[in-house]
């Protein structure tokens, strides 16, 4: 897993959300989901996605 960079489509599939949902989260800061912006491209690191998922765990 590690630091592989995923497109928004791949990240949405990884998290089981839509690309539109991730776009809204980026735009209004709904969730603290880290992303990388390279020019006009958005990328997500797999490690960041996995870490974010683990933070959502309610015990």
């Amino acid at each position: 897993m590690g630091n592989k960079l995923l497109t928004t489509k791949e990240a949405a599939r990884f998290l089981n959300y839509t690309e539109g949902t991730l776009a809204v989260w980026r735009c209004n800061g709904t969730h603290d989901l880290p992303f990388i912006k390279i020019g006009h491209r958005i990328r997500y690191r797999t490690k960041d996605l996995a870490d974010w998922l683990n933070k959502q765990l309610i015990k």
Side-chain angles (χ1 to χ4, degrees):
M1 206 181 308
N3 288 324
K4 180 180 177 186
L5 295 178
L6 302 179
T7 64
T8 300
K9 184 175 188 173
E10 293 168 328
R13 194 174 312 130
F14 183 92
L15 296 173
N16 200 28
Y17 284 97
T18 66
E19 292 177 65
T21 297
L22 296 186
V24 169
W25 290 357
R26 283 193 312 269
C27 184
N28 64 20
T30 304
H31 293 277
D32 188 24
L33 183 60
F35 64 93
I36 299 167
K37 187 170 183 180
I38 305 168
H40 69 280
R41 293 179 175 95
I42 302 295
R43 296 295 184 260
Y44 295 86
R45 293 186 301 194
T46 52
K47 181 185 181 325
D48 292 337
L49 297 176
D51 289 346
W52 181 83
L53 276 176
N54 286 331
K55 290 178 186 174
Q56 306 314 305
L57 181 63
I58 298 173
K59 297 179 182 182

